[in-house]
Structure formats: C-alpha cells, structure tokens
Amino acid sequence: MKPHWPAPAGLHMKTTRLPVEGVWRGLPRRDNKGYFNKLFLWQQGFDVRKEPKPEIVVTLRRLDAPTTLVTSRGGTNAFFDNSWAMLTGVLFPTEGCWEITSSHEGHILTFILSIQH
C-alpha cells in the first residue's frame, strides 16, 4: 500500500506503508531479543536537511497477552518510493497482536499489526 503523499494542503498528517492483511511475517529474529523491522514514516513538512535524525518515539503495546510497554526513541532518514521519509527500527519482544504508536513533533500515528514468525 502506498501512502497518499503529499497530503492535501493544510492537512498535517503522518502515514506509513502497511501490509494489506495486517501481518508482518518472517521478520528477522535478534538473538532472543525479538523480531525486528524497519518503520518508514512520512509526515507533511518533514525536511531532511533541517532534521536528518528526527526524534521519533515508538511505543509497542501487546493486545493479546499481558506484557510491559516497549518504547524506543530516535530515527534517521531514507529516500524511499521517490520521497524522503523518517526511518526508525522496531523490535517486538514476541509474536502476537501489537498496537504500534509513533510520534514526532506532536503528530501521532497508531496502527495494529500481527507479528508472526
């Protein structure tokens, strides 16, 4: 799924690309620390020249089993699909149903994915 970008004038939004079926499968496992993937984020007004390392905060909350919240900070940039994007890594401790919330400069994006081996 390609994000609708650029956003209509006056609309401040953040978007990402997600699988249509809502599942990330076959993610690399990191030495008993979980499953890793890259998360590309597009936000209207993001300027890679002014902010090459955007302060992105990502919170992971498992929905189908009790566990602690996972929070990570930091990011970089990437030229992807003919536009500049923010890029960060996410590390899911286990498989399962996860709510992912990313924030940058007051813009928040939340979505749910199933993480499967």
Side-chain angles (χ1 to χ4, degrees):
M1 176 178 125
K2 183 174 178 171
H4 300 288
W5 207 254
L11 198 65
H12 299 284
M13 60 185 289
K14 189 157 85 173
T15 187
T16 190
R17 290 178 72 167
L18 298 172
V20 174
E21 68 279 3
V23 178
W24 274 348
R25 287 186 184 89
L27 300 180
R29 185 140 176 90
R30 294 271 174 105
D31 299 330
N32 293 328
K33 294 182 183 172
Y35 299 92
F36 179 81
N37 205 3
K38 294 177 182 178
L39 180 62
F40 292 87
L41 300 163
W42 287 264
Q43 180 178 308
Q44 184 175 8
F46 173 66
D47 186 342
V48 69
R49 294 166 296 184
K50 293 179 182 174
E51 193 179 12
K53 294 190 179 215
E55 183 60 28
I56 303 166
V57 178
V58 177
T59 302
L60 308 175
R61 183 170 67 102
R62 187 156 178 198
L63 301 176
D64 60 346
T67 187
T68 58
L69 290 177
V70 178
T71 301
S72 62
R73 294 180 177 273
T76 188
N77 64 78
F79 193 74
F80 183 77
D81 209 13
N82 294 317
S83 65
W84 284 102
M86 295 178 281
L87 173 63
T88 191
V90 288
L91 185 63
F92 298 90
T94 63
E95 296 179 51
C97 181
W98 290 87
E99 177 186 80
I100 300 97
T101 299
S102 66
S103 64
H104 174 258
E105 293 184 345
H107 301 278
I108 297 172
L109 177 67
T110 300
F111 54 94
I112 296 172
L113 286 173
S114 176
I115 306 304
Q116 298 178 7
H117 181 64

